[in-house]
Amino acid sequence: MKYASFTAADGSATWGVIEEGRAFDLGPSGAGLAPSLRAAVEQGLFGAVTAGQYQAAPARPEDGIGFLPAITDPGKIICIGVNYRTHQEESGKTGQTAPTVFTRFADTQMGHRAPAVMPASTTKFDYEGEMALVIGREAWHVAEEEAWDYIAGYGAYNDFSVRDWQKAASQWIPGKNFPSTGAFGPYLVPAADLGGVNRLTLETRVNGETRQKASVADLYFPIPQLIAYVTGFTRLSPGDVIVTGTPGGVGLFWGEGGLLADGDVVEVEITGLGTLANTVERER
């Protein structure tokens, strides 16, 4: 089953189930099951909504809704850098002994079909197709062998990056936190519905051209190790997000014309999670 956050008919934020081209409103403007998708995760509703519950809710065509970030208000967004060998090799960052971790702020996110805003202060705007996971319960000092039990669901992510700001110093946070540069969605799929994620394929396309393609099984630090590492230094709560890393093929290393320009359409497609699409819009 696919869940999403989106705008209601009155423009307010809501969430619900997407099925057969229809968006069923389970939020405050609809069935009122929970105020947000994050709250649904907290309350144990995510992945447990029955057909009777969502089919009785108000529905609109999926094509007519405005998608919001799958989790609009995560308490924490933890991003993992250079976590595929192909990206390590192209960037010269091989031989890692621990994950590279940085943070993204919740208010920098946007949804499927929303513009990816290239800041006026850069000419080095880039894409990073990734898979994100959402934490389902309080997590602190989680053992690797128990890590899968803490995941509520998965979605596609595009960690758009402002490379000159990112590389100006050793800390990456400035280049990863401009407004409307963290695309998340269109859907959040329950972990139980998806099964093993190592069989999934991630593909990033720019104007229809494949730039990145990798199996999730190629993660250098696999998901259980990431959860164990992150919860070794910070508590995670339901609705918190871990963005697991991007494969080789980012625009910075693609060659001439690899970086993004105004009007480019970037798609991140992951098996079973749908296709996240955003058009680059230069800041005016």
Side-chain angles (χ1 to χ4, degrees):
M1 187 177 292
K2 297 182 294 187
Y3 291 75
S5 297
F6 51 90
T7 53
D10 63 2
S12 63
T14 192
W15 67 281
V17 167
I18 309 292
E19 183 181 70
E20 296 182 351
R22 301 175 73 199
F24 295 87
D25 188 345
L26 303 180
S29 54
L33 298 187
S36 67
L37 190 48
R38 174 186 171 182
V41 172
E42 292 172 336
Q43 296 171 24
L45 287 170
F46 176 72
V49 176
T50 66
Q53 285 176 305
Y54 74 78
Q55 288 175 356
R60 296 156 55 210
E62 180 181 357
D63 288 346
I65 64 173
F67 281 94
L68 299 172
I71 299 291
T72 58
D73 55 345
K76 294 175 183 173
I77 304 172
I78 305 292
C79 299
I80 309 299
V82 286
N83 198 27
Y84 283 81
R85 284 183 176 84
T86 51
H87 189 37
Q88 291 175 353
E89 291 164 359
E90 71 180 2
S91 62
K93 292 181 169 65
T94 57
Q96 293 186 79
T97 57
T100 298
V101 177
F102 60 95
T103 56
R104 176 176 277 283
F105 308 143
D107 64 359
T108 69
Q109 293 193 123
M110 71 285 196
H112 172 55
R113 299 197 294 237
V117 179
M118 180 195 303
S121 60
T122 190
T123 57
K124 294 183 177 180
F125 196 51
D126 209 345
Y127 54 85
E128 290 193 7
E130 312 197 26
M131 187 179 77
L133 64 88
V134 173
I135 295 296
R137 58 192 176 104
E138 294 292 331
W140 178 234
H141 293 309
V142 175
E144 288 185 34
E145 58 270 23
E146 298 174 355
W148 297 111
D149 296 335
Y150 287 80
I151 302 171
Y154 300 91
Y157 211 98
N158 197 331
D159 183 38
F160 286 96
S161 302
V162 184
R163 296 298 190 195
D164 41 2
W165 282 78
Q166 178 188 353
K167 292 179 173 295
S170 61
Q171 299 299 315
W172 296 358
I173 290 175
K176 300 287 190 173
N177 280 287
F178 279 81
S180 297
T181 58
F184 188 13
Y187 314 118
L188 189 66
V189 177
D193 292 357
L194 203 57
V197 296
N198 284 340
R199 62 183 178 81
L200 307 185
T201 298
L202 183 157
E203 181 174 345
T204 306
R205 298 181 293 271
V206 178
N207 300 326
E209 177 186 33
T210 298
R211 296 285 189 89
Q212 297 178 294
K213 190 168 186 178
S215 169
V216 173
D218 295 338
L219 286 169
Y220 186 77
F221 295 104
I223 287 169
Q225 193 169 354
L226 293 179
I227 292 176
Y229 183 81
V230 171
T231 62
F233 70 83
T234 188
R235 292 181 185 272
L236 296 180
S237 299
D240 286 348
V241 179
I242 298 178
V243 187
T244 59
T246 197
V250 300
L252 185 66
F253 303 111
W254 185 258
E256 186 177 354
L259 292 166
L260 296 171
D262 192 23
D264 284 345
V265 177
V266 188
E267 299 171 296
V268 180
E269 182 176 6
I270 303 177
T271 315
L273 301 180
T275 301
L276 170 66
N278 301 92
T279 301
V280 176
E281 183 177 289
R282 182 79 178 177
E283 183 181 23
R284 308 302 176 192

Short mmCIF file of all heavy atoms in Angstrom, two decimals, residues 183-248:
data_model
loop_
_atom_site.label_atom_id
_atom_site.label_comp_id
_atom_site.label_asym_id
_atom_site.label_seq_id
_atom_site.Cartn_x
_atom_site.Cartn_y
_atom_site.Cartn_z
N ALA A 183 13.97 16.70 -1.87
CA ALA A 183 12.71 16.13 -2.38
C ALA A 183 12.49 14.75 -1.77
O ALA A 183 13.40 13.91 -1.76
CB ALA A 183 12.76 16.03 -3.90
N PHE A 184 11.27 14.50 -1.30
CA PHE A 184 10.95 13.25 -0.59
C PHE A 184 9.57 12.78 -1.03
O PHE A 184 8.58 13.45 -0.81
CB PHE A 184 10.98 13.52 0.91
CG PHE A 184 10.85 12.31 1.79
CD1 PHE A 184 10.96 11.02 1.31
CD2 PHE A 184 10.61 12.48 3.16
CE1 PHE A 184 10.85 9.92 2.14
CE2 PHE A 184 10.51 11.39 4.01
CZ PHE A 184 10.62 10.11 3.50
N GLY A 185 9.53 11.60 -1.65
CA GLY A 185 8.24 11.04 -2.05
C GLY A 185 8.33 10.29 -3.38
O GLY A 185 9.41 9.85 -3.75
N PRO A 186 7.27 10.18 -4.14
CA PRO A 186 5.93 10.69 -3.82
C PRO A 186 5.25 9.93 -2.68
O PRO A 186 4.36 10.44 -2.04
CB PRO A 186 5.16 10.53 -5.13
CG PRO A 186 5.86 9.43 -5.86
CD PRO A 186 7.31 9.53 -5.47
N TYR A 187 5.71 8.67 -2.48
CA TYR A 187 5.02 7.80 -1.54
C TYR A 187 5.94 7.38 -0.39
O TYR A 187 7.16 7.44 -0.49
CB TYR A 187 4.52 6.54 -2.25
CG TYR A 187 3.85 6.79 -3.57
CD1 TYR A 187 4.37 6.27 -4.75
CD2 TYR A 187 2.70 7.57 -3.64
CE1 TYR A 187 3.76 6.50 -5.97
CE2 TYR A 187 2.07 7.81 -4.86
CZ TYR A 187 2.61 7.28 -6.03
OH TYR A 187 2.01 7.52 -7.23
N LEU A 188 5.30 6.90 0.65
CA LEU A 188 5.98 6.17 1.71
C LEU A 188 5.33 4.79 1.76
O LEU A 188 4.11 4.68 1.93
CB LEU A 188 5.84 6.89 3.05
CG LEU A 188 6.69 6.33 4.20
CD1 LEU A 188 8.18 6.55 3.92
CD2 LEU A 188 6.31 6.99 5.53
N VAL A 189 6.14 3.76 1.58
CA VAL A 189 5.63 2.39 1.49
C VAL A 189 6.03 1.63 2.75
O VAL A 189 7.21 1.64 3.13
CB VAL A 189 6.18 1.68 0.24
CG1 VAL A 189 5.71 0.22 0.18
CG2 VAL A 189 5.75 2.43 -1.02
N PRO A 190 5.07 0.97 3.42
CA PRO A 190 5.42 0.23 4.62
C PRO A 190 6.47 -0.84 4.37
O PRO A 190 6.45 -1.52 3.34
CB PRO A 190 4.07 -0.41 5.03
CG PRO A 190 3.03 0.48 4.44
CD PRO A 190 3.61 0.95 3.14
N ALA A 191 7.38 -0.97 5.32
CA ALA A 191 8.45 -1.96 5.19
C ALA A 191 7.88 -3.37 5.02
O ALA A 191 8.40 -4.17 4.24
CB ALA A 191 9.36 -1.89 6.41
N ALA A 192 6.79 -3.65 5.73
CA ALA A 192 6.20 -4.99 5.66
C ALA A 192 5.65 -5.30 4.28
O ALA A 192 5.61 -6.46 3.86
CB ALA A 192 5.10 -5.11 6.71
N ASP A 193 5.22 -4.27 3.54
CA ASP A 193 4.69 -4.47 2.19
C ASP A 193 5.80 -4.66 1.17
O ASP A 193 5.59 -5.29 0.12
CB ASP A 193 3.84 -3.27 1.76
CG ASP A 193 2.56 -3.14 2.55
OD1 ASP A 193 2.30 -4.02 3.40
OD2 ASP A 193 1.82 -2.16 2.35
N LEU A 194 6.95 -4.12 1.47
CA LEU A 194 8.03 -4.08 0.48
C LEU A 194 8.89 -5.33 0.51
O LEU A 194 9.43 -5.75 -0.51
CB LEU A 194 8.90 -2.84 0.74
CG LEU A 194 9.72 -2.30 -0.41
CD1 LEU A 194 8.83 -1.96 -1.61
CD2 LEU A 194 10.49 -1.06 0.03
N GLY A 195 9.04 -5.95 1.67
CA GLY A 195 9.93 -7.09 1.78
C GLY A 195 11.38 -6.65 1.83
O GLY A 195 11.69 -5.52 2.21
N GLY A 196 12.29 -7.52 1.43
CA GLY A 196 13.71 -7.22 1.46
C GLY A 196 14.08 -6.10 0.51
O GLY A 196 13.75 -6.17 -0.68
N VAL A 197 14.76 -5.07 1.01
CA VAL A 197 15.07 -3.92 0.17
C VAL A 197 16.33 -4.13 -0.67
O VAL A 197 16.56 -3.37 -1.62
CB VAL A 197 15.23 -2.63 1.01
CG1 VAL A 197 13.93 -2.28 1.68
CG2 VAL A 197 16.35 -2.77 2.02
N ASN A 198 17.13 -5.12 -0.35
CA ASN A 198 18.37 -5.31 -1.11
C ASN A 198 18.14 -5.71 -2.56
O ASN A 198 19.05 -5.62 -3.38
CB ASN A 198 19.26 -6.35 -0.42
CG ASN A 198 19.94 -5.79 0.82
OD1 ASN A 198 20.06 -4.58 0.98
ND2 ASN A 198 20.38 -6.67 1.71
N ARG A 199 16.93 -6.11 -2.88
CA ARG A 199 16.61 -6.46 -4.26
C ARG A 199 16.15 -5.24 -5.08
O ARG A 199 15.94 -5.35 -6.29
CB ARG A 199 15.50 -7.52 -4.29
CG ARG A 199 14.21 -7.02 -3.68
CD ARG A 199 13.11 -8.06 -3.63
NE ARG A 199 11.92 -7.54 -2.99
CZ ARG A 199 11.02 -6.78 -3.58
NH1 ARG A 199 11.18 -6.44 -4.86
NH2 ARG A 199 9.96 -6.34 -2.93
N LEU A 200 16.03 -4.09 -4.44
CA LEU A 200 15.51 -2.91 -5.13
C LEU A 200 16.59 -2.23 -5.96
O LEU A 200 17.77 -2.27 -5.62
CB LEU A 200 14.94 -1.91 -4.12
CG LEU A 200 13.90 -2.43 -3.13
CD1 LEU A 200 13.36 -1.29 -2.28
CD2 LEU A 200 12.77 -3.16 -3.83
N THR A 201 16.16 -1.60 -7.03
CA THR A 201 17.07 -0.84 -7.90
C THR A 201 16.71 0.63 -7.85
O THR A 201 15.54 1.00 -7.91
CB THR A 201 16.98 -1.34 -9.36
OG1 THR A 201 17.40 -2.71 -9.40
CG2 THR A 201 17.88 -0.52 -10.27
N LEU A 202 17.73 1.46 -7.73
CA LEU A 202 17.59 2.91 -7.73
C LEU A 202 18.12 3.45 -9.05
O LEU A 202 19.22 3.10 -9.47
CB LEU A 202 18.36 3.51 -6.55
CG LEU A 202 18.30 5.02 -6.30
CD1 LEU A 202 18.62 5.31 -4.84
CD2 LEU A 202 19.25 5.81 -7.19
N GLU A 203 17.32 4.31 -9.70
CA GLU A 203 17.76 4.92 -10.96
C GLU A 203 17.41 6.41 -10.95
O GLU A 203 16.29 6.79 -10.62
CB GLU A 203 17.08 4.25 -12.15
CG GLU A 203 17.50 4.82 -13.50
CD GLU A 203 16.92 4.04 -14.67
OE1 GLU A 203 16.43 2.92 -14.47
OE2 GLU A 203 16.95 4.57 -15.80
N THR A 204 18.39 7.23 -11.30
CA THR A 204 18.19 8.68 -11.41
C THR A 204 18.33 9.09 -12.86
O THR A 204 19.30 8.71 -13.52
CB THR A 204 19.21 9.46 -10.56
OG1 THR A 204 19.16 8.98 -9.22
CG2 THR A 204 18.92 10.94 -10.58
N ARG A 205 17.36 9.87 -13.35
CA ARG A 205 17.39 10.34 -14.74
C ARG A 205 17.30 11.86 -14.77
O ARG A 205 16.57 12.47 -13.99
CB ARG A 205 16.22 9.73 -15.53
CG ARG A 205 16.26 8.21 -15.63
CD ARG A 205 15.09 7.67 -16.44
NE ARG A 205 13.81 7.88 -15.78
CZ ARG A 205 13.26 7.02 -14.93
NH1 ARG A 205 13.89 5.89 -14.61
NH2 ARG A 205 12.07 7.26 -14.37
N VAL A 206 18.04 12.46 -15.70
CA VAL A 206 17.97 13.89 -15.95
C VAL A 206 17.50 14.07 -17.38
O VAL A 206 18.17 13.63 -18.33
CB VAL A 206 19.32 14.59 -15.72
CG1 VAL A 206 19.21 16.08 -16.04
CG2 VAL A 206 19.80 14.39 -14.29
N ASN A 207 16.34 14.68 -17.55
CA ASN A 207 15.74 14.86 -18.88
C ASN A 207 15.68 13.54 -19.65
O ASN A 207 15.92 13.48 -20.85
CB ASN A 207 16.52 15.91 -19.68
CG ASN A 207 16.54 17.26 -18.99
OD1 ASN A 207 15.58 17.64 -18.32
ND2 ASN A 207 17.64 17.99 -19.13
N GLY A 208 15.37 12.46 -18.92
CA GLY A 208 15.21 11.15 -19.52
C GLY A 208 16.49 10.35 -19.66
O GLY A 208 16.44 9.15 -19.97
N GLU A 209 17.65 10.96 -19.42
CA GLU A 209 18.93 10.26 -19.52
C GLU A 209 19.30 9.64 -18.18
O GLU A 209 19.34 10.33 -17.16
CB GLU A 209 20.03 11.24 -19.95
CG GLU A 209 21.42 10.62 -20.01
CD GLU A 209 22.52 11.64 -20.28
OE1 GLU A 209 22.38 12.80 -19.82
OE2 GLU A 209 23.50 11.28 -20.94
N THR A 210 19.59 8.36 -18.17
CA THR A 210 19.98 7.69 -16.93
C THR A 210 21.37 8.16 -16.49
O THR A 210 22.34 8.06 -17.25
CB THR A 210 19.98 6.16 -17.10
OG1 THR A 210 18.65 5.73 -17.40
CG2 THR A 210 20.45 5.47 -15.82
N ARG A 211 21.45 8.68 -15.28
CA ARG A 211 22.72 9.15 -14.72
C ARG A 211 23.23 8.24 -13.61
O ARG A 211 24.43 8.11 -13.41
CB ARG A 211 22.54 10.57 -14.17
CG ARG A 211 22.18 11.62 -15.22
CD ARG A 211 23.38 12.00 -16.08
NE ARG A 211 23.11 13.13 -16.94
CZ ARG A 211 23.30 14.40 -16.59
NH1 ARG A 211 23.75 14.70 -15.38
NH2 ARG A 211 23.04 15.38 -17.44
N GLN A 212 22.32 7.68 -12.84
CA GLN A 212 22.68 6.80 -11.74
C GLN A 212 21.83 5.54 -11.82
O GLN A 212 20.63 5.62 -12.10
CB GLN A 212 22.43 7.47 -10.38
CG GLN A 212 23.25 8.71 -10.11
CD GLN A 212 22.89 9.34 -8.76
OE1 GLN A 212 21.77 9.81 -8.59
NE2 GLN A 212 23.83 9.33 -7.82
N LYS A 213 22.44 4.41 -11.55
CA LYS A 213 21.68 3.16 -11.48
C LYS A 213 22.46 2.18 -10.61
O LYS A 213 23.62 1.89 -10.87
CB LYS A 213 21.42 2.56 -12.86
CG LYS A 213 20.43 1.40 -12.84
CD LYS A 213 19.96 1.03 -14.22
CE LYS A 213 18.87 -0.02 -14.16
NZ LYS A 213 18.36 -0.37 -15.51
N ALA A 214 21.81 1.69 -9.56
CA ALA A 214 22.49 0.80 -8.63
C ALA A 214 21.47 -0.03 -7.87
O ALA A 214 20.30 0.35 -7.75
CB ALA A 214 23.35 1.59 -7.65
N SER A 215 21.92 -1.14 -7.34
CA SER A 215 21.13 -1.95 -6.43
C SER A 215 21.31 -1.42 -5.02
O SER A 215 22.42 -1.03 -4.62
CB SER A 215 21.56 -3.41 -6.50
OG SER A 215 20.97 -4.15 -5.44
N VAL A 216 20.24 -1.41 -4.24
CA VAL A 216 20.35 -1.01 -2.84
C VAL A 216 21.30 -1.95 -2.09
O VAL A 216 21.91 -1.56 -1.08
CB VAL A 216 18.95 -0.98 -2.18
CG1 VAL A 216 19.04 -0.74 -0.68
CG2 VAL A 216 18.09 0.10 -2.83
N ALA A 217 21.47 -3.16 -2.60
CA ALA A 217 22.42 -4.10 -1.99
C ALA A 217 23.85 -3.60 -2.06
O ALA A 217 24.73 -4.12 -1.36
CB ALA A 217 22.31 -5.46 -2.66
N ASP A 218 24.12 -2.58 -2.90
CA ASP A 218 25.49 -2.07 -3.06
C ASP A 218 25.87 -1.02 -2.02
O ASP A 218 26.96 -0.46 -2.09
CB ASP A 218 25.66 -1.46 -4.46
CG ASP A 218 25.54 -2.50 -5.57
OD1 ASP A 218 25.74 -3.70 -5.28
OD2 ASP A 218 25.24 -2.11 -6.71
N LEU A 219 24.99 -0.72 -1.06
CA LEU A 219 25.34 0.23 -0.01
C LEU A 219 26.63 -0.23 0.70
O LEU A 219 26.75 -1.38 1.09
CB LEU A 219 24.22 0.34 1.02
CG LEU A 219 22.96 1.12 0.61
CD1 LEU A 219 21.86 0.91 1.63
CD2 LEU A 219 23.28 2.60 0.46
N TYR A 220 27.56 0.69 0.87
CA TYR A 220 28.83 0.37 1.53
C TYR A 220 28.60 0.05 3.00
O TYR A 220 29.09 -0.96 3.52
CB TYR A 220 29.79 1.54 1.37
CG TYR A 220 31.19 1.30 1.88
CD1 TYR A 220 32.09 0.53 1.13
CD2 TYR A 220 31.61 1.83 3.08
CE1 TYR A 220 33.37 0.31 1.59
CE2 TYR A 220 32.90 1.61 3.55
CZ TYR A 220 33.78 0.85 2.80
OH TYR A 220 35.05 0.63 3.26
N PHE A 221 27.86 0.92 3.69
CA PHE A 221 27.39 0.64 5.04
C PHE A 221 25.92 0.27 4.92
O PHE A 221 25.08 1.13 4.64
CB PHE A 221 27.57 1.85 5.96
CG PHE A 221 29.00 2.25 6.19
CD1 PHE A 221 29.54 3.35 5.56
CD2 PHE A 221 29.80 1.50 7.03
CE1 PHE A 221 30.86 3.73 5.77
CE2 PHE A 221 31.13 1.86 7.25
CZ PHE A 221 31.66 2.97 6.62
N PRO A 222 25.57 -1.00 5.09
CA PRO A 222 24.17 -1.41 4.91
C PRO A 222 23.25 -0.83 5.97
O PRO A 222 23.70 -0.31 7.01
CB PRO A 222 24.24 -2.94 4.99
CG PRO A 222 25.49 -3.24 5.72
CD PRO A 222 26.45 -2.13 5.41
N ILE A 223 21.97 -0.93 5.71
CA ILE A 223 20.96 -0.28 6.56
C ILE A 223 21.06 -0.67 8.04
O ILE A 223 21.04 0.21 8.91
CB ILE A 223 19.55 -0.52 5.98
CG1 ILE A 223 19.37 0.33 4.71
CG2 ILE A 223 18.47 -0.21 7.00
CD1 ILE A 223 18.14 0.01 3.91
N PRO A 224 21.20 -1.94 8.39
CA PRO A 224 21.32 -2.24 9.83
C PRO A 224 22.52 -1.56 10.49
O PRO A 224 22.43 -1.10 11.63
CB PRO A 224 21.46 -3.77 9.85
CG PRO A 224 20.81 -4.23 8.59
CD PRO A 224 21.14 -3.17 7.58
N GLN A 225 23.62 -1.47 9.76
CA GLN A 225 24.81 -0.82 10.31
C GLN A 225 24.58 0.68 10.47
O GLN A 225 25.03 1.29 11.45
CB GLN A 225 26.01 -1.08 9.41
CG GLN A 225 27.34 -0.73 10.04
CD GLN A 225 28.53 -1.24 9.25
OE1 GLN A 225 28.37 -1.96 8.27
NE2 GLN A 225 29.72 -0.86 9.67
N LEU A 226 23.86 1.29 9.52
CA LEU A 226 23.55 2.72 9.63
C LEU A 226 22.69 3.00 10.86
O LEU A 226 22.95 3.95 11.61
CB LEU A 226 22.82 3.20 8.37
CG LEU A 226 23.60 3.21 7.06
CD1 LEU A 226 22.71 3.71 5.94
CD2 LEU A 226 24.86 4.07 7.17
N ILE A 227 21.66 2.19 11.06
CA ILE A 227 20.76 2.43 12.20
C ILE A 227 21.52 2.23 13.50
O ILE A 227 21.37 3.02 14.45
CB ILE A 227 19.53 1.51 12.10
CG1 ILE A 227 18.65 1.94 10.91
CG2 ILE A 227 18.73 1.53 13.40
CD1 ILE A 227 17.46 1.05 10.66
N ALA A 228 22.34 1.20 13.58
CA ALA A 228 23.12 0.96 14.79
C ALA A 228 24.08 2.13 15.06
O ALA A 228 24.21 2.60 16.20
CB ALA A 228 23.89 -0.35 14.68
N TYR A 229 24.71 2.62 14.01
CA TYR A 229 25.67 3.72 14.16
C TYR A 229 24.97 5.01 14.59
O TYR A 229 25.39 5.68 15.55
CB TYR A 229 26.43 3.94 12.86
CG TYR A 229 27.50 5.00 12.95
CD1 TYR A 229 28.74 4.71 13.49
CD2 TYR A 229 27.27 6.30 12.50
CE1 TYR A 229 29.73 5.69 13.60
CE2 TYR A 229 28.25 7.28 12.60
CZ TYR A 229 29.48 6.97 13.14
OH TYR A 229 30.45 7.93 13.26
N VAL A 230 23.90 5.36 13.88
CA VAL A 230 23.21 6.62 14.18
C VAL A 230 22.61 6.60 15.58
O VAL A 230 22.71 7.58 16.33
CB VAL A 230 22.14 6.92 13.11
CG1 VAL A 230 21.26 8.10 13.53
CG2 VAL A 230 22.79 7.19 11.76
N THR A 231 21.97 5.48 15.95
CA THR A 231 21.38 5.41 17.29
C THR A 231 22.43 5.22 18.38
O THR A 231 22.10 5.24 19.57
CB THR A 231 20.33 4.30 17.39
OG1 THR A 231 20.95 3.02 17.15
CG2 THR A 231 19.21 4.52 16.39
N GLY A 232 23.68 5.07 17.99
CA GLY A 232 24.75 5.07 18.96
C GLY A 232 25.09 6.46 19.47
O GLY A 232 25.71 6.60 20.53
N PHE A 233 24.69 7.51 18.71
CA PHE A 233 25.00 8.87 19.17
C PHE A 233 23.77 9.77 19.32
O PHE A 233 23.86 10.83 19.93
CB PHE A 233 26.02 9.56 18.24
CG PHE A 233 25.51 9.92 16.87
CD1 PHE A 233 24.81 11.10 16.66
CD2 PHE A 233 25.75 9.10 15.78
CE1 PHE A 233 24.34 11.44 15.39
CE2 PHE A 233 25.30 9.44 14.51
CZ PHE A 233 24.60 10.61 14.32
N THR A 234 22.61 9.36 18.78
CA THR A 234 21.41 10.18 18.95
C THR A 234 20.17 9.30 19.00
O THR A 234 20.10 8.27 18.32
CB THR A 234 21.27 11.22 17.82
OG1 THR A 234 20.20 12.12 18.12
CG2 THR A 234 20.98 10.57 16.47
N ARG A 235 19.21 9.69 19.81
CA ARG A 235 17.94 8.96 19.87
C ARG A 235 17.12 9.30 18.63
O ARG A 235 17.04 10.46 18.22
CB ARG A 235 17.14 9.35 21.12
CG ARG A 235 17.74 8.90 22.42
CD ARG A 235 16.86 9.31 23.60
NE ARG A 235 17.49 8.98 24.87
CZ ARG A 235 17.38 7.81 25.49
NH1 ARG A 235 16.63 6.85 24.94
NH2 ARG A 235 17.98 7.59 26.65
N LEU A 236 16.50 8.31 18.05
CA LEU A 236 15.58 8.52 16.94
C LEU A 236 14.15 8.22 17.40
O LEU A 236 13.92 7.32 18.21
CB LEU A 236 15.94 7.63 15.76
CG LEU A 236 17.31 7.91 15.12
CD1 LEU A 236 17.56 6.94 13.96
CD2 LEU A 236 17.43 9.35 14.65
N SER A 237 13.22 9.00 16.86
CA SER A 237 11.81 8.89 17.23
C SER A 237 10.99 8.51 16.01
O SER A 237 11.44 8.66 14.87
CB SER A 237 11.31 10.22 17.80
OG SER A 237 12.04 10.58 18.95
N PRO A 238 9.76 8.04 16.21
CA PRO A 238 8.91 7.72 15.07
C PRO A 238 8.77 8.92 14.13
O PRO A 238 8.52 10.04 14.57
CB PRO A 238 7.57 7.37 15.72
CG PRO A 238 7.93 6.88 17.08
CD PRO A 238 9.11 7.70 17.49
N GLY A 239 8.95 8.67 12.86
CA GLY A 239 8.87 9.73 11.86
C GLY A 239 10.20 10.33 11.49
O GLY A 239 10.30 11.07 10.51
N ASP A 240 11.26 10.04 12.25
CA ASP A 240 12.60 10.51 11.87
C ASP A 240 13.05 9.79 10.61
O ASP A 240 12.64 8.66 10.32
CB ASP A 240 13.59 10.27 13.00
CG ASP A 240 13.43 11.25 14.15
OD1 ASP A 240 12.69 12.24 13.99
OD2 ASP A 240 14.04 11.02 15.21
N VAL A 241 13.93 10.45 9.86
CA VAL A 241 14.31 9.97 8.52
C VAL A 241 15.82 9.76 8.45
O VAL A 241 16.59 10.59 8.93
CB VAL A 241 13.89 11.00 7.44
CG1 VAL A 241 14.31 10.54 6.04
CG2 VAL A 241 12.38 11.24 7.50
N ILE A 242 16.22 8.65 7.85
CA ILE A 242 17.62 8.42 7.48
C ILE A 242 17.67 8.31 5.96
O ILE A 242 16.97 7.48 5.37
CB ILE A 242 18.21 7.16 8.13
CG1 ILE A 242 18.22 7.28 9.66
CG2 ILE A 242 19.63 6.91 7.61
CD1 ILE A 242 18.74 6.04 10.37
N VAL A 243 18.47 9.16 5.33
CA VAL A 243 18.67 9.14 3.87
C VAL A 243 19.98 8.40 3.63
O VAL A 243 21.04 8.83 4.10
CB VAL A 243 18.68 10.57 3.30
CG1 VAL A 243 18.70 10.52 1.77
CG2 VAL A 243 17.47 11.36 3.78
N THR A 244 19.92 7.29 2.90
CA THR A 244 20.97 6.26 3.01
C THR A 244 22.19 6.44 2.12
O THR A 244 23.16 5.70 2.26
CB THR A 244 20.36 4.87 2.75
OG1 THR A 244 19.78 4.85 1.43
CG2 THR A 244 19.30 4.53 3.78
N GLY A 245 22.19 7.41 1.20
CA GLY A 245 23.36 7.63 0.36
C GLY A 245 23.03 7.53 -1.12
O GLY A 245 22.00 6.99 -1.51
N THR A 246 23.93 8.06 -1.94
CA THR A 246 23.70 8.11 -3.39
C THR A 246 24.77 7.31 -4.14
O THR A 246 25.93 7.28 -3.71
CB THR A 246 23.69 9.57 -3.88
OG1 THR A 246 23.08 9.63 -5.17
CG2 THR A 246 25.09 10.18 -3.97
N PRO A 247 24.41 6.67 -5.25
CA PRO A 247 25.39 5.93 -6.04
C PRO A 247 26.27 6.87 -6.87
O PRO A 247 26.06 8.09 -6.93
CB PRO A 247 24.52 5.07 -6.97
CG PRO A 247 23.13 5.20 -6.49
CD PRO A 247 23.05 6.49 -5.74
N GLY A 248 27.26 6.29 -7.55
CA GLY A 248 28.07 7.05 -8.49
C GLY A 248 27.22 7.57 -9.64
O GLY A 248 26.16 7.03 -9.96
#
